[in-house]
Amino acid sequence: MNETILRIEHICKHFGATQANSNISIEIKRGMVHGLAGENGSGKSTLASIICGIQETDSGTMYKNEQVYAPRSPLEAHKQGVAMVVQEMGVIGNLSAAVNLFLGHLEQFSSHGIINTNKMQQAARVQFNKWDLPVVPFDLPVSALSIEQRKTLELARALAVNPDVLVLDEISQALSQDTRNILYKLIRKFTQEGKSVLLITHDLDEMMQFCDEISVLRDGELISTKPTAEMPMNELKRLMIGREFTESYYRSDKKAAYSNDVLLDVQSLTVPGKISNVTFQLHKGEILGVCGLSDGGIHELGRSLYCLEDKRTGTVTYKPTGTEINTQKELIAAGGAYLSKDRDYDGLMLNASIRENISLPSLKNLSGKFAFLDPGRINSLAFKTAGSFDIKAENTGDFVKCLSGGNKQKVNLSRWLVKDLSFVVLDCPTRGVDIGVKAYIYKKIMEEAKEKGLGVLLITDELQEAIGMADRIVILRRGGVAGILNRDTDFTQKKIIEVML
């Protein structure tokens, strides 16, 4: 039997009246991957943050290698061999990638108070190469990197402290499929060295494949810990949500179904070094998937459509009016919206209320007399929207930063869907949400597209998501269109991967 490297006994944590963790006891064994499963808000990230010194426990004790372990900061946890990649962004945007990588340990590159930048960047490259991670531009500020590059940087930073316990909180859903494969090889290599991984992921197939044991949390309590071999998928889902999960994630029909009416006509869209001569049409009532490997340019395409990329050429035309879209204002005026893959960094106002986030895109229609905003109409919109989209919070005055990942995404999506949209660009809309919220978002997408005629451009790193939801799939390879597949005939994972490669 594997020896225990980290033992957690009777951990409790409250935030006001909210019970985040209650009497949780778990053992993590050396050389194994231990999964931590649960819906959004079940207490997974709170427990992980306690393990890594980000939060202090209210009561309970932890032991590492049979010694009392009570880190009061991430740096203390690092010194004792525990490191974490957090769910949301854990980097400082205005500092370079190399500085972020060694933050807290910069003294090794310093002489007389001056940091040797070249030495630091060389060390960063060595660290990335050690784990076969795709190298990022070390001299650029982190704000200039993609979310995938930032997550890769965070992973390299966690590994740089040479931990023997690595906590991964929802990292894979920020990565493309080829970079995920690199992560999986890294996990195997890490555990083969006798080290341990605590893996938090909403990708249950991933959890079943890579975890040796799984602990399930629900409403802050530990429901069960079992070897993965003794926990079938249906049992895992039942333990997570407290009932049999019978809802289907995806649409059941096998035929593409959308109008002949074109909403968005994209011709030869090009951003130097990112995408090249991308051409497609989005129809009324269509769910058009976009897939590709990490160098495919799928997320850059979304940013380009929303006019966030410089030096864009080609045309994006809203066909019902013939309007050419060259600014964000023109896209919104045409009835369009864009949801970034990184909701916290690019989408939501985390330090504002649910009410303020929901009402912002609709403020033009919420004024009363003399063009002043009408608080009653704002409150009414926020209250109805929060109820309609089942946003779980005490009230709409709660700060968005206090919500779970799934409820954040409901706020992000709902504030646009309450408008009378014609089309929407969704970049990884189910990233970091649990099975219940994922099924809910898919249901909303289907309702908006198939019942109301909304055109949906669904950019996704999940092949199964594209296969399950799209009418057609545009596949990008090295920034260009490698093929467009149809639901009626071409929707198999094998076919999509063949076109990607």
Side-chain angles (χ1 to χ4, degrees):
M1 179 175 288
N2 296 60
E3 65 176 289
T4 299
I5 189 171
L6 183 67
R7 190 166 81 253
I8 299 161
E9 292 188 350
H10 310 298
I11 290 294
C12 295
K13 181 68 178 179
H14 290 76
F15 297 100
T18 302
Q19 173 184 278
N21 290 153
S22 177
N23 198 36
I24 293 177
S25 297
I26 294 173
E27 291 188 3
I28 298 173
K29 298 181 176 65
R30 187 175 296 279
M32 297 178 69
V33 181
H34 194 109
L36 195 57
E39 292 189 281
N40 289 116
S42 62
K44 305 184 304 296
S45 293
T46 299
L47 181 62
S49 67
I50 290 171
I51 292 171
C52 298
I54 299 171
Q55 303 270 2
E56 290 189 32
T57 181
D58 293 338
S59 61
T61 310
M62 296 186 290
Y63 300 88
K64 186 165 183 290
N65 296 322
E66 299 306 323
Q67 301 295 316
V68 173
Y69 168 71
R72 291 176 293 178
S73 72
L75 284 178
E76 282 193 16
H78 290 173
K79 292 175 181 178
Q80 297 185 66
V82 179
M84 177 180 180
V85 181
V86 297
Q87 179 177 1
E88 300 301 342
M89 289 301 105
V91 287
I92 301 175
N94 60 349
L95 298 180
S96 73
V99 171
N100 269 278
L101 178 59
F102 296 110
L103 202 60
H105 310 278
L106 293 173
E107 66 281 353
Q108 60 188 304
F109 308 110
S110 178
S111 177
H112 305 293
I114 299 174
I115 293 176
N116 186 325
T117 303
N118 289 334
K119 183 179 178 183
M120 180 172 59
Q121 291 181 6
Q122 288 172 3
R125 188 172 297 276
V126 168
Q127 179 63 22
F128 270 68
N129 290 340
K130 175 182 177 182
W131 295 99
D132 296 321
L133 295 172
V135 173
V136 305
F138 297 119
D139 57 332
L140 292 182
V142 166
S143 58
L145 305 183
S146 69
I147 185 172
E148 179 165 330
Q149 288 174 320
R150 281 180 257 160
K151 276 297 171 190
T152 305
L153 175 65
E154 289 181 59
L155 178 59
R157 184 176 65 185
L159 292 166
V161 302
N162 193 30
D164 51 13
V165 175
L166 179 63
V167 181
L168 302 178
D169 190 356
E170 294 294 350
I171 178 174
S172 62
Q173 288 193 313
L175 307 177
S176 59
Q177 189 60 51
D178 49 332
T179 307
R180 286 186 196 192
N181 291 335
I182 294 172
L183 171 66
Y184 300 151
K185 290 179 183 178
L186 185 154
I187 290 173
R188 291 191 188 98
K189 179 180 177 181
F190 191 80
T191 53
Q192 284 169 359
E193 293 179 358
K195 301 176 180 181
S196 304
V197 174
L198 180 63
L199 180 66
I200 302 172
T201 176
H202 286 307
D203 186 335
L204 300 188
D205 290 322
E206 178 180 85
M207 180 165 284
M208 296 293 288
Q209 182 177 355
F210 292 99
C211 293
D212 300 290
E213 291 185 325
I214 299 175
S215 293
V216 180
L217 302 188
R218 188 170 71 235
D219 298 328
E221 297 182 352
L222 177 66
I223 303 302
S224 177
T225 296
K226 290 183 180 180
T228 306
E230 298 176 12
M231 190 178 289
M233 177 69 81
N234 287 341
E235 174 72 359
L236 175 58
K237 291 179 180 178
R238 185 189 66 78
L239 291 171
M240 286 174 60
I241 65 179
R243 57 179 170 78
E244 295 295 335
F245 187 82
T246 57
E247 297 177 77
S248 173
Y249 270 173
Y250 306 118
R251 55 194 286 188
S252 58
D253 60 304
K254 303 299 182 183
K255 292 284 186 181
Y258 53 87
S259 168
N260 290 327
D261 297 337
V262 175
L263 294 175
L264 212 58
D265 184 26
V266 179
Q267 295 291 324
S268 302
L269 194 64
T270 299
V271 177
K274 296 181 179 179
I275 57 174
S276 177
N277 293 314
V278 174
T279 296
F280 63 87
Q281 292 182 323
L282 174 66
H283 296 79
K284 184 176 181 180
E286 179 181 21
I287 302 173
L288 180 61
V290 180
C291 291
L293 299 178
S294 58
D295 63 349
I298 63 174
H299 309 296
E300 290 80 2
L301 172 61
R303 288 176 52 83
S304 177
L305 291 172
Y306 196 54
C307 310
L308 291 172
E309 295 286 355
D310 295 331
K311 300 179 181 179
R312 191 191 83 171
T313 59
T315 60
V316 179
T317 305
Y318 180 58
K319 289 296 284 185
T321 62
T323 303
E324 189 170 317
I325 296 172
N326 293 302
T327 66
Q328 296 158 33
K329 185 177 180 180
E330 289 172 345
L331 181 137
I332 292 172
Y338 166 71
L339 271 72
S340 168
K341 180 178 181 178
D342 188 352
R343 61 176 171 261
D344 282 12
Y345 194 82
D346 294 327
L348 295 167
M349 302 180 294
L350 297 180
N351 290 315
S353 67
I354 298 169
R355 181 188 308 115
E356 289 166 324
N357 274 274
I358 288 175
S359 62
L360 183 62
S362 302
L363 288 181
K364 189 176 181 179
N365 301 317
L366 295 173
S367 58
K369 290 183 178 181
F370 311 111
F372 291 113
L373 291 175
D374 185 332
R377 295 177 69 182
I378 291 174
N379 289 335
S380 177
L381 174 69
F383 181 78
K384 289 179 181 178
T385 302
S388 175
F389 282 78
D390 194 28
I391 296 167
K392 292 181 172 60
E394 290 290 326
N395 58 69
T396 60
D398 290 355
F399 288 140
V400 167
K401 67 181 180 182
C402 299
L403 301 180
S404 68
N407 283 299
K408 284 180 182 176
Q409 189 66 334
K410 285 183 179 181
V411 172
N412 198 23
L413 187 63
S414 69
R415 65 196 190 124
W416 289 107
L417 293 186
V418 293
K419 293 170 62 68
D420 186 20
L421 295 180
S422 178
F423 64 93
V424 63
V425 179
L426 302 177
D427 193 347
C428 297
T430 61
R431 183 182 76 83
V433 305
D434 62 48
I435 55 173
V437 176
K438 183 175 284 192
Y440 182 87
I441 290 174
Y442 291 151
K443 180 181 176 183
K444 281 292 183 182
I445 290 174
M446 285 293 292
E447 288 176 355
E448 295 292 328
K450 304 308 177 185
E451 297 177 17
K452 301 179 183 179
L454 182 71
V456 179
L457 189 73
L458 177 62
I459 300 170
T460 177
D461 292 318
E462 306 273 353
L463 295 188
Q464 200 54 52
E465 182 170 85
I467 292 170
M469 292 300 296
D471 294 290
R472 296 184 299 148
I473 299 175
V474 177
I475 298 176
L476 299 189
R477 184 173 66 230
R478 299 186 186 93
V481 176
I484 299 179
L485 305 183
N486 295 294
R487 185 175 191 84
D488 299 13
T489 56
D490 300 321
F491 273 22
T492 66
Q493 188 163 312
K494 180 181 178 182
K495 177 68 173 177
I496 294 171
I497 292 175
E498 283 177 357
V499 178
M500 279 185 181
L501 299 177

PDB file of all heavy atoms in Angstrom, residues 247-262:
ATOM      1  N   GLU A 247     -30.135  13.953 -17.212  1.00  0.00           N
ATOM      2  CA  GLU A 247     -30.158  14.909 -18.311  1.00  0.00           C
ATOM      3  C   GLU A 247     -29.040  14.606 -19.312  1.00  0.00           C
ATOM      4  O   GLU A 247     -27.956  14.197 -18.951  1.00  0.00           O
ATOM      5  CB  GLU A 247     -29.961  16.337 -17.776  1.00  0.00           C
ATOM      6  CG  GLU A 247     -31.058  16.792 -16.843  1.00  0.00           C
ATOM      7  CD  GLU A 247     -30.748  18.169 -16.299  1.00  0.00           C
ATOM      8  OE1 GLU A 247     -30.940  19.148 -17.030  1.00  0.00           O
ATOM      9  OE2 GLU A 247     -30.303  18.238 -15.145  1.00  0.00           O
ATOM     10  N   SER A 248     -29.352  14.822 -20.584  1.00  0.00           N
ATOM     11  CA  SER A 248     -28.339  14.675 -21.625  1.00  0.00           C
ATOM     12  C   SER A 248     -27.598  15.994 -21.783  1.00  0.00           C
ATOM     13  O   SER A 248     -28.208  17.061 -21.797  1.00  0.00           O
ATOM     14  CB  SER A 248     -28.995  14.288 -22.950  1.00  0.00           C
ATOM     15  OG  SER A 248     -28.047  14.298 -23.995  1.00  0.00           O
ATOM     16  N   TYR A 249     -26.272  15.904 -21.861  1.00  0.00           N
ATOM     17  CA  TYR A 249     -25.508  17.116 -22.107  1.00  0.00           C
ATOM     18  C   TYR A 249     -25.897  17.756 -23.437  1.00  0.00           C
ATOM     19  O   TYR A 249     -26.111  18.963 -23.533  1.00  0.00           O
ATOM     20  CB  TYR A 249     -24.018  16.749 -22.225  1.00  0.00           C
ATOM     21  CG  TYR A 249     -23.232  16.767 -20.952  1.00  0.00           C
ATOM     22  CD1 TYR A 249     -21.924  16.301 -20.953  1.00  0.00           C
ATOM     23  CD2 TYR A 249     -23.754  17.240 -19.765  1.00  0.00           C
ATOM     24  CE1 TYR A 249     -21.165  16.301 -19.807  1.00  0.00           C
ATOM     25  CE2 TYR A 249     -23.004  17.246 -18.609  1.00  0.00           C
ATOM     26  CZ  TYR A 249     -21.707  16.766 -18.637  1.00  0.00           C
ATOM     27  OH  TYR A 249     -20.955  16.769 -17.512  1.00  0.00           O
ATOM     28  N   TYR A 250     -25.951  16.947 -24.462  1.00  0.00           N
ATOM     29  CA  TYR A 250     -25.936  17.467 -25.820  1.00  0.00           C
ATOM     30  C   TYR A 250     -27.274  17.272 -26.526  1.00  0.00           C
ATOM     31  O   TYR A 250     -28.147  16.562 -26.047  1.00  0.00           O
ATOM     32  CB  TYR A 250     -24.824  16.787 -26.622  1.00  0.00           C
ATOM     33  CG  TYR A 250     -23.469  16.881 -25.964  1.00  0.00           C
ATOM     34  CD1 TYR A 250     -22.774  15.737 -25.568  1.00  0.00           C
ATOM     35  CD2 TYR A 250     -22.876  18.112 -25.719  1.00  0.00           C
ATOM     36  CE1 TYR A 250     -21.526  15.822 -24.966  1.00  0.00           C
ATOM     37  CE2 TYR A 250     -21.630  18.208 -25.114  1.00  0.00           C
ATOM     38  CZ  TYR A 250     -20.959  17.051 -24.738  1.00  0.00           C
ATOM     39  OH  TYR A 250     -19.735  17.146 -24.138  1.00  0.00           O
ATOM     40  N   ARG A 251     -27.407  17.864 -27.689  1.00  0.00           N
ATOM     41  CA  ARG A 251     -28.610  17.710 -28.501  1.00  0.00           C
ATOM     42  C   ARG A 251     -28.710  16.261 -28.981  1.00  0.00           C
ATOM     43  O   ARG A 251     -27.705  15.593 -29.215  1.00  0.00           O
ATOM     44  CB  ARG A 251     -28.585  18.677 -29.674  1.00  0.00           C
ATOM     45  CG  ARG A 251     -27.349  18.559 -30.529  1.00  0.00           C
ATOM     46  CD  ARG A 251     -27.171  19.722 -31.486  1.00  0.00           C
ATOM     47  NE  ARG A 251     -28.089  19.695 -32.614  1.00  0.00           N
ATOM     48  CZ  ARG A 251     -28.007  20.533 -33.648  1.00  0.00           C
ATOM     49  NH1 ARG A 251     -27.048  21.461 -33.681  1.00  0.00           N
ATOM     50  NH2 ARG A 251     -28.859  20.461 -34.640  1.00  0.00           N
ATOM     51  N   SER A 252     -29.928  15.791 -29.148  1.00  0.00           N
ATOM     52  CA  SER A 252     -30.135  14.390 -29.495  1.00  0.00           C
ATOM     53  C   SER A 252     -30.247  14.162 -30.998  1.00  0.00           C
ATOM     54  O   SER A 252     -30.063  13.040 -31.471  1.00  0.00           O
ATOM     55  CB  SER A 252     -31.401  13.865 -28.812  1.00  0.00           C
ATOM     56  OG  SER A 252     -32.527  14.644 -29.185  1.00  0.00           O
ATOM     57  N   ASP A 253     -30.555  15.223 -31.766  1.00  0.00           N
ATOM     58  CA  ASP A 253     -30.740  15.032 -33.202  1.00  0.00           C
ATOM     59  C   ASP A 253     -29.404  14.873 -33.919  1.00  0.00           C
ATOM     60  O   ASP A 253     -28.387  15.383 -33.468  1.00  0.00           O
ATOM     61  CB  ASP A 253     -31.511  16.207 -33.806  1.00  0.00           C
ATOM     62  CG  ASP A 253     -30.784  17.532 -33.622  1.00  0.00           C
ATOM     63  OD1 ASP A 253     -30.476  17.873 -32.471  1.00  0.00           O
ATOM     64  OD2 ASP A 253     -30.499  18.201 -34.629  1.00  0.00           O
ATOM     65  N   LYS A 254     -29.420  14.192 -35.023  1.00  0.00           N
ATOM     66  CA  LYS A 254     -28.200  13.928 -35.795  1.00  0.00           C
ATOM     67  C   LYS A 254     -28.129  14.757 -37.069  1.00  0.00           C
ATOM     68  O   LYS A 254     -27.190  14.620 -37.854  1.00  0.00           O
ATOM     69  CB  LYS A 254     -28.128  12.437 -36.166  1.00  0.00           C
ATOM     70  CG  LYS A 254     -28.180  11.488 -34.969  1.00  0.00           C
ATOM     71  CD  LYS A 254     -27.012  11.722 -34.019  1.00  0.00           C
ATOM     72  CE  LYS A 254     -27.059  10.734 -32.848  1.00  0.00           C
ATOM     73  NZ  LYS A 254     -25.969  11.006 -31.873  1.00  0.00           N
ATOM     74  N   LYS A 255     -29.117  15.620 -37.297  1.00  0.00           N
ATOM     75  CA  LYS A 255     -29.180  16.403 -38.521  1.00  0.00           C
ATOM     76  C   LYS A 255     -28.929  17.882 -38.231  1.00  0.00           C
ATOM     77  O   LYS A 255     -29.408  18.419 -37.233  1.00  0.00           O
ATOM     78  CB  LYS A 255     -30.561  16.259 -39.167  1.00  0.00           C
ATOM     79  CG  LYS A 255     -30.853  14.865 -39.723  1.00  0.00           C
ATOM     80  CD  LYS A 255     -30.123  14.648 -41.034  1.00  0.00           C
ATOM     81  CE  LYS A 255     -30.521  13.325 -41.666  1.00  0.00           C
ATOM     82  NZ  LYS A 255     -29.806  13.087 -42.935  1.00  0.00           N
ATOM     83  N   ALA A 256     -28.193  18.529 -39.122  1.00  0.00           N
ATOM     84  CA  ALA A 256     -28.039  19.983 -39.036  1.00  0.00           C
ATOM     85  C   ALA A 256     -29.390  20.627 -39.316  1.00  0.00           C
ATOM     86  O   ALA A 256     -30.136  20.168 -40.174  1.00  0.00           O
ATOM     87  CB  ALA A 256     -27.003  20.453 -40.045  1.00  0.00           C
ATOM     88  N   ALA A 257     -29.706  21.680 -38.567  1.00  0.00           N
ATOM     89  CA  ALA A 257     -30.995  22.354 -38.738  1.00  0.00           C
ATOM     90  C   ALA A 257     -30.822  23.844 -38.491  1.00  0.00           C
ATOM     91  O   ALA A 257     -30.633  24.270 -37.350  1.00  0.00           O
ATOM     92  CB  ALA A 257     -32.027  21.760 -37.778  1.00  0.00           C
ATOM     93  N   TYR A 258     -30.865  24.631 -39.560  1.00  0.00           N
ATOM     94  CA  TYR A 258     -30.757  26.091 -39.437  1.00  0.00           C
ATOM     95  C   TYR A 258     -31.286  26.733 -40.708  1.00  0.00           C
ATOM     96  O   TYR A 258     -31.478  26.078 -41.742  1.00  0.00           O
ATOM     97  CB  TYR A 258     -29.311  26.523 -39.178  1.00  0.00           C
ATOM     98  CG  TYR A 258     -28.294  25.994 -40.167  1.00  0.00           C
ATOM     99  CD1 TYR A 258     -28.019  26.668 -41.346  1.00  0.00           C
ATOM    100  CD2 TYR A 258     -27.606  24.811 -39.908  1.00  0.00           C
ATOM    101  CE1 TYR A 258     -27.091  26.188 -42.253  1.00  0.00           C
ATOM    102  CE2 TYR A 258     -26.671  24.315 -40.799  1.00  0.00           C
ATOM    103  CZ  TYR A 258     -26.415  25.009 -41.977  1.00  0.00           C
ATOM    104  OH  TYR A 258     -25.499  24.519 -42.869  1.00  0.00           O
ATOM    105  N   SER A 259     -31.519  28.036 -40.640  1.00  0.00           N
ATOM    106  CA  SER A 259     -32.088  28.780 -41.757  1.00  0.00           C
ATOM    107  C   SER A 259     -31.050  29.008 -42.861  1.00  0.00           C
ATOM    108  O   SER A 259     -29.841  28.982 -42.614  1.00  0.00           O
ATOM    109  CB  SER A 259     -32.597  30.133 -41.248  1.00  0.00           C
ATOM    110  OG  SER A 259     -32.917  30.998 -42.318  1.00  0.00           O
ATOM    111  N   ASN A 260     -31.546  29.249 -44.049  1.00  0.00           N
ATOM    112  CA  ASN A 260     -30.650  29.641 -45.147  1.00  0.00           C
ATOM    113  C   ASN A 260     -30.195  31.087 -45.021  1.00  0.00           C
ATOM    114  O   ASN A 260     -29.250  31.507 -45.700  1.00  0.00           O
ATOM    115  CB  ASN A 260     -31.344  29.447 -46.500  1.00  0.00           C
ATOM    116  CG  ASN A 260     -31.525  27.975 -46.848  1.00  0.00           C
ATOM    117  OD1 ASN A 260     -30.693  27.143 -46.490  1.00  0.00           O
ATOM    118  ND2 ASN A 260     -32.623  27.654 -47.518  1.00  0.00           N
ATOM    119  N   ASP A 261     -30.876  31.861 -44.168  1.00  0.00           N
ATOM    120  CA  ASP A 261     -30.551  33.275 -44.006  1.00  0.00           C
ATOM    121  C   ASP A 261     -29.187  33.436 -43.331  1.00  0.00           C
ATOM    122  O   ASP A 261     -28.959  32.891 -42.252  1.00  0.00           O
ATOM    123  CB  ASP A 261     -31.608  33.987 -43.172  1.00  0.00           C
ATOM    124  CG  ASP A 261     -32.978  33.972 -43.833  1.00  0.00           C
ATOM    125  OD1 ASP A 261     -33.032  33.823 -45.069  1.00  0.00           O
ATOM    126  OD2 ASP A 261     -33.986  34.106 -43.106  1.00  0.00           O
ATOM    127  N   VAL A 262     -28.290  34.177 -43.979  1.00  0.00           N
ATOM    128  CA  VAL A 262     -26.950  34.405 -43.435  1.00  0.00           C
ATOM    129  C   VAL A 262     -26.982  35.620 -42.519  1.00  0.00           C
ATOM    130  O   VAL A 262     -27.503  36.684 -42.880  1.00  0.00           O
ATOM    131  CB  VAL A 262     -25.926  34.625 -44.569  1.00  0.00           C
ATOM    132  CG1 VAL A 262     -24.560  34.991 -43.996  1.00  0.00           C
ATOM    133  CG2 VAL A 262     -25.821  33.376 -45.436  1.00  0.00           C
TER     134      VAL A 262
END
